[in-house]
Amino acid sequence: MEKGVRFIAINNSIDSANQQDSDFTPFLNIINEWYAKDTSKKIRAVMKSKGEAGEHLCTNPPYGYRKGPDNPKRWIVDEGAAEVVKRIFALCLDGYGPSQIARILKADKVITPTIHFMQTGRATRNAPPDNPCNWTSDTIADILERPEYQGHTVNFKTYRQSYKSKKTLQNPSDKQLVFENTHEAIIDADTWARVQELRKNKRRPTRIGKTNMFSGIVRCADCGEKLYYCTSKNFEARQDHFVCSTSRLKGKEVCSTHFIRAVVLEQGVLAHMRLVIACVANHEERFRQAMGAKQKTEAKRELAAKKRQLTQAERRIEELDRLFKRIYEDNANGKLSDSRFQMLSDDYEQEQAELREKLLQLNEDITQQEEQAENIDRFIGKVRKYLDLDELTPAILNDMVKAVYVHAPDKSSGHREQRIDISYDLVGIEPLYNRPNPSIYAVL
């Protein structure tokens, strides 16, 4: 009114110049607000029901999938896009970051997801870029972090605080629902897990653009911090080295200098990997025993026995519930004295408490044993891929090794000896059997 603005709502026959219309306007606003809120509540209830039933909540599947021709709710692999997704994950295992991967795809004239969707007749909200091959690091990072590529449906990843807000917020993982194996996987679980580990330890090129495959993997054995990769345009390959970030930033008083040359680290890790591969390939059962696992037949028998005990305990708990209900009815009807009822109920409750504790322990034992056996089998499967390992590449290193721990040098023997511990994916720090020392010593 003060600015001389006149509000007219034709559908509602409201004109702010008419005082009577203006008096009724707040009531209409309240009714409209109620209607919008009620509609939002119903839509949320429908989406919640669909999400909890395992249905896909997104309108379109992610890049690499398309809707099934017979059933739009089913995702099938889009072969052309899936090959690009596989290549992106392979490049990440090779040590490339999102920006580097984007530049590689752009140089190889690979079209972006937006252009691919347009070419395949799928609607997209994004405007087509000027360069159809102009990949961005954000697009690559989003693809690398999508668990759907394992064949899983993930619902409730995002939410909005209110129907009035258009801002999308990320839900924590404990509030998300994951339905496994709902569609064909493009990336296997091991590859996806290794990529997530690598993404946590981001590797940035040095000022001169050089990188090393051990960046983000090699750590100080004493303080646990990363070792910096140090190089220069004037360095020869043998001069590139790693040094503890703690001793470099906070001083040697906090952590002594852990220094190792990159070429020595690579030679030592390669030698250790070749020995581990040979030991595991030639002595599989001894490897299982050394890892604290039973032989396959014995492990199966033990696991079956524990599952039988678990079933028996669950049945006994159900039986005790029925007995407790029966004695309660007998006590209420006067067939059982209060003292006798109290004694029996105390015994039943104590037995139930013991059985529930046993159930928890059995479940933990079964889960641990199943995971251990599965991890060992998966590690043996990895070993078989590299039986003829002659050269260490970033892809092989990232597939096999989770971390490398460098100890402080020891000069007591007159030589500079340095211990290196290697933590392998799925099995941890791996000893070498029939050798006096489980780690590698690099003599510099």
Side-chain angles (χ1 to χ4, degrees), residues 47-86:
M47 297 299 286
K48 184 174 184 291
S49 176
K50 288 174 63 178
E52 290 176 346
E55 293 185 34
H56 300 298
L57 296 182
C58 54
T59 305
N60 290 311
Y63 178 69
Y65 291 100
R66 58 188 176 89
K67 294 180 180 179
D70 302 326
N71 181 7
K73 293 184 178 181
R74 185 171 66 91
W75 290 358
I76 61 175
V77 174
D78 185 346
E79 295 298 339
E83 289 303 316
V84 179
V85 172
K86 290 177 183 177

Side-chain angles (χ1 to χ4, degrees), residues 66-109:
R66 58 188 176 89
K67 294 180 180 179
D70 302 326
N71 181 7
K73 293 184 178 181
R74 185 171 66 91
W75 290 358
I76 61 175
V77 174
D78 185 346
E79 295 298 339
E83 289 303 316
V84 179
V85 172
K86 290 177 183 177
R87 186 182 178 191
I88 289 171
F89 275 81
L91 287 169
C92 185
L93 285 177
D94 282 338
Y96 294 102
S99 299
Q100 295 169 306
I101 296 172
R103 285 196 291 269
I104 291 171
L105 296 180
K106 185 177 179 180
D108 291 347
K109 307 295 183 183

Side-chain angles (χ1 to χ4, degrees), residues 1-5:
M1 282 293 187
E2 293 179 359
K3 302 294 184 182
V5 177

